[in-house]
Amino acid sequence: METKLVKAADSVLDEAANILKRGGIAAIPTETVYGLAANAYDVEAVRSVFRAKGRPQDNPLILHIGSTEMLYDIAESVSPLALRLAESFWPGPLTMIFPRKPHVPAETCGGLGTAAVRMPNNAFTLKLIERCGFPVAAPSANTSGLPSPTSAAHVMADMNGKIPLIIDGGECRFGVESTVICFEGDDAVRILRPGAVTPEMLREYAHVAVDSGVLEKIDPGARVLSPGMKYKHYSPNAEVYILKGDTGSVSRFLKNERMNKTAFLGFGDEDIPDDVTVFPYGSTAGEQAENLFASLRAADAAGCAVVYVRMPETSGLGLAVYNRLLRAAAFRTIDTDGGSDAVL
Ligand code: TXA
Ligand code: MG
């Protein structure tokens, strides 16, 4: 199959909508990462999304909506808290989990009795969903296990020949996937995946718990609230290590411990040996979120064997960066101030 790449514009809305209406797939831009879109109510279309990604069948998809009416077509019930969060954060990077109505296919929801819903903040994609008239199921548009795509070129690298259309909406604003929450009673939420809607932001509306799976390894076979937590994620081919320590000790580590084909993602204030390849990262969580996946992909493309990444902050958006980085690094962390969890 030939994969066509077109710029996001009103002139391609019809073409994209027709593909989705006929049960096909198109890659779409959102403010978080690119998604692989299909009609959420069409079981065959949803199956082809799982196939294109190589995604395990029990890992449910997020249903993307263009209006609050669509939420009521999916959710069996919507609590006053959920409605308040929708009013405050939609369109935007917040995914909420609801009990689903029986007509929402089990395949879309990984066999669960719930459905994850979000309204993305991208003008083209909102128009596309409206034109389709059905919710659009869209996992991140990467091959399962690889870093999520934050540009149309990343999608092309993974999906060329597998899908008919990629809509290029430029680089994604946030660069990490949406915050996923479930509800615990009337006034509490649990964060299953951190994102740009931070725990601090949600605390203005509800009690907030951060699930232990956000920062801890999940035991194989453990029961998890969100199936995505248990799968290998965001991993480039290179081995990723998190460097935890101050700028001086990180600089000394790079000088003494670097290997052949070493890549580094830093804050910008380190001393970096000439033979270490530097990729964009940044000193703020916002920059790090924007750059992390793209730089992991670039390090792979450059043939790097090892990627050292400085540990981000663990509050605010930093929690989302750290959550993705822990998985990319398979939790390998080196304390450059002394001590190490990993044997090199
Ligand atoms: O920002 C995003 O959320 C992007 C863009 C494209 O919207 N989408 C995305 O989808 O990241 P995906 O499929 O890569 O991640 C969805 C996550 C998975 O971890 C999945 O397990 C979880 O959401 N999820 C989906 N439905 C769920 C449900 N009913 N219950 C619990 N977790 C669910
Ligand atoms: Mg994903």
Side-chain angles (χ1 to χ4, degrees), residues 324-339:
R324 307 311 190 274
L325 185 54
L326 278 170
R327 275 148 190 88
F331 290 85
R332 286 178 297 242
T333 303
I334 298 171
D335 185 349
T336 56
D337 293 328

Side-chain angles (χ1 to χ4, degrees), residues 214-237:
V214 165
L215 294 181
E216 285 167 26
K217 256 187 212 163
I218 311 277
D219 289 332
R223 218 185 72 84
V224 291
L225 287 169
S226 184
M229 290 173 149
K230 66 185 183 196
Y231 292 111
K232 187 171 182 238
H233 259 135
Y234 319 119
S235 309
N237 293 316

Side-chain angles (χ1 to χ4, degrees), residues 89-316:
F89 296 108
W90 282 355
L94 179 68
T95 296
M96 298 191 266
I97 295 173
F98 298 94
R100 70 174 161 87
K101 286 193 169 153
H103 74 95
V104 179
E107 280 82 357
T108 308
C109 302
L112 300 174
T114 53
V117 183
R118 101 171 178 99
M119 189 188 291
N121 192 6
N122 178 283
F124 175 89
T125 292
L126 286 172
K127 279 189 221 165
L128 176 63
I129 299 168
E130 276 303 299
R131 191 156 302 201
C132 287
F134 45 72
V136 161
S140 50
N142 52 290
T143 298
S144 211
L146 292 184
S148 296
T150 58
S151 73
H154 298 158
V155 181
M156 191 54 111
D158 285 15
M159 293 296 151
N160 193 8
K162 294 186 176 170
I163 62 174
L165 185 67
I166 298 172
I167 310 283
D168 182 354
E171 285 187 18
C172 300
R173 173 158 155 239
F174 291 114
V176 289
E177 306 86 342
S178 61
T179 305
V180 178
I181 62 168
C182 63
F183 294 92
E184 298 187 322
D186 294 341
D187 62 353
V189 301
R190 173 171 293 270
I191 296 181
L192 304 178
R193 182 177 71 180
V197 173
T198 63
E200 293 82 353
M201 288 158 78
L202 290 166
R203 263 183 210 119
E204 304 269 320
Y205 302 85
H207 298 286
V208 178
V210 177
D211 196 81
S212 60
V214 165
L215 294 181
E216 285 167 26
K217 256 187 212 163
I218 311 277
D219 289 332
R223 218 185 72 84
V224 291
L225 287 169
S226 184
M229 290 173 149
K230 66 185 183 196
Y231 292 111
K232 187 171 182 238
H233 259 135
Y234 319 119
S235 309
N237 293 316
E239 286 205 349
V240 180
Y241 293 86
I242 300 170
L243 299 185
K244 182 180 174 193
D246 63 23
T247 296
S249 72
V250 166
S251 299
R252 277 191 299 282
F253 175 88
L254 288 176
K255 186 162 168 250
N256 299 327
E257 305 288 336
R258 70 183 183 278
M259 295 179 255
N260 220 353
K261 297 191 185 165
T262 295
F264 178 61
L265 277 60
F267 298 163
D269 57 357
E270 305 86 359
D271 277 331
I272 303 161
D274 287 343
D275 54 353
V276 170
T277 315
V278 176
F279 292 93
Y281 189 48
S283 56
T284 66
E287 292 169 308
Q288 293 161 358
E290 241 182 280
N291 289 322
L292 179 67
F293 289 144
S295 286
L296 291 177
R297 281 180 176 261
D300 260 357
C304 295
V306 172
V307 187
Y308 293 124
V309 187
R310 281 195 76 172
M311 181 169 155
E313 286 185 12
T314 55
S315 59

